Amino acid sequence: MNHTYLPVDKHDCKSVEALASMEREVVIPLLPELLEWIQDMNWPIASAMMDVLLKYKVETIPHLKIIFSQSDSIWTYNILSYLIKDWNTELISELSSDLRELAQTMDHYEDTDLLSIEILYKHLLIEASEATELLAGKLREIEEGLNSVTKEQRVIFAELELERLHILNTDARGILNYIEVNRKSLKEKDQYENLLRRYQEIETMINTNGGRLNRE
């Protein structure tokens, strides 16, 4: 493997441009390392690297399977959302078992489980009844989490939000102290709000008439 062709850092756009015009036999051995550059889509070379990787769909599949097994939800999200989103059914079917595993695993922050269900359903690799059953199970688990939040905690969360808005509207310099003083409660607030977001998202998906499980 010739590592001289690999980007040296996240700003190395010239290396990505060179990779785009190289012979396939040169690029294919580099794919595991090239995939690392889409771990964060905010990196300057990430988008261009994605374009390079899209030329090697079949060749990336074994490496994607490894990534999916590593529990790196942000990296997995980028692959689901940007790399394989427009792949054809034949290619997606090669990843169906991996996508099913992702679909069954709760991902409270990156929603890779919900994305996996969408992809499987879009390509007719999962029936609507099975997709709905998976989503309903997630909904029940989220409900348990929401029900564990006390009324007193919800009052605290509302007060924290009012305080945050007041600081931002008066003297934003106080926001760091606000975060430090309320670190524990803010973490609980974030978890609660994310559960609410997930609950609403899944409810929409279950609504097959107007939701995202509609193939029409």
Side-chain angles (χ1 to χ4, degrees):
M1 183 185 302
N2 194 333
H3 290 276
T4 60
Y5 298 131
L6 296 173
V8 296
D9 58 40
K10 62 184 179 182
H11 300 284
D12 189 2
C13 296
K14 288 185 178 180
S15 289
V16 182
E17 291 174 5
L19 286 163
S21 59
M22 285 181 187
E23 297 294 328
R24 295 181 66 83
E25 58 267 25
V26 175
V27 177
I28 289 172
L30 303 175
L31 289 174
E33 286 78 12
L34 300 186
L35 282 161
E36 293 177 3
W37 291 105
I38 62 168
Q39 288 177 311
D40 187 337
M41 292 307 295
N42 291 312
W43 290 341
I45 68 170
S47 180
M49 184 62 78
M50 192 71 73
D51 291 337
V52 172
L53 292 168
L54 284 169
K55 299 178 181 179
Y56 300 90
K57 297 182 180 73
V58 173
E59 292 83 2
T60 60
I61 288 174
H63 308 300
L64 298 185
K65 288 176 173 288
I66 293 172
I67 294 169
F68 289 160
S69 70
Q70 293 176 349
S71 302
D72 188 325
S73 58
I74 295 177
W75 198 1
T76 296
Y77 173 86
N78 291 340
I79 290 168
L80 298 179
S81 295
Y82 301 103
L83 185 61
I84 73 170
K85 67 183 181 71
D86 293 323
W87 282 17
N88 62 40
T89 299
E90 182 179 359
L91 288 171
I92 292 294
S93 65
E94 294 293 319
L95 293 167
S96 61
S97 61
D98 307 274
L99 292 171
R100 279 179 173 274
E101 188 168 341
L102 288 171
Q104 293 165 0
T105 304
M106 275 286 198
D107 181 1
H108 286 299
Y109 284 93
E110 300 303 325
D111 295 340
T112 56
D113 52 346
L114 306 187
L115 280 170
S116 296
I117 292 172
E118 282 191 76
I119 292 169
L120 288 166
Y121 188 78
K122 174 184 175 182
H123 291 277
L124 309 181
L125 297 172
I126 188 173
E127 293 296 327
S129 58
E130 185 180 355
T132 301
E133 184 178 346
L134 272 171
L135 292 168
K138 294 178 186 295
L139 208 59
R140 287 191 294 271
E141 185 173 334
I142 291 171
E143 283 177 339
E144 291 178 6
L146 290 172
N147 290 335
S148 70
V149 178
T150 66
K151 182 179 179 180
E152 290 75 16
Q153 283 178 300
R154 298 182 194 198
V155 170
I156 291 171
F157 298 159
E159 291 174 346
L160 283 170
E161 182 62 15
L162 289 174
E163 183 181 354
R164 184 185 73 87
L165 293 174
H166 175 72
I167 292 171
L168 292 176
N169 289 326
T170 54
D171 186 358
R173 292 172 298 180
I175 199 69
L176 292 178
N177 183 63
Y178 160 82
I179 292 172
E180 183 60 33
V181 170
N182 300 291
R183 188 174 300 277
K184 183 175 183 293
S185 294
L186 286 172
K187 182 178 180 180
E188 293 171 349
K189 175 176 177 288
D190 177 65
Q191 291 171 340
Y192 172 70
E193 290 175 346
N194 196 61
L195 284 175
L196 280 176
R197 178 194 62 78
R198 288 263 295 177
Y199 189 92
Q200 293 163 356
E201 179 81 0
I202 292 171
E203 275 196 324
T204 300
M205 291 181 71
I206 289 176
N207 178 10
T208 55
N209 290 325
R212 288 157 55 186
L213 280 183
N214 188 1
R215 288 195 184 109
E216 297 298 320

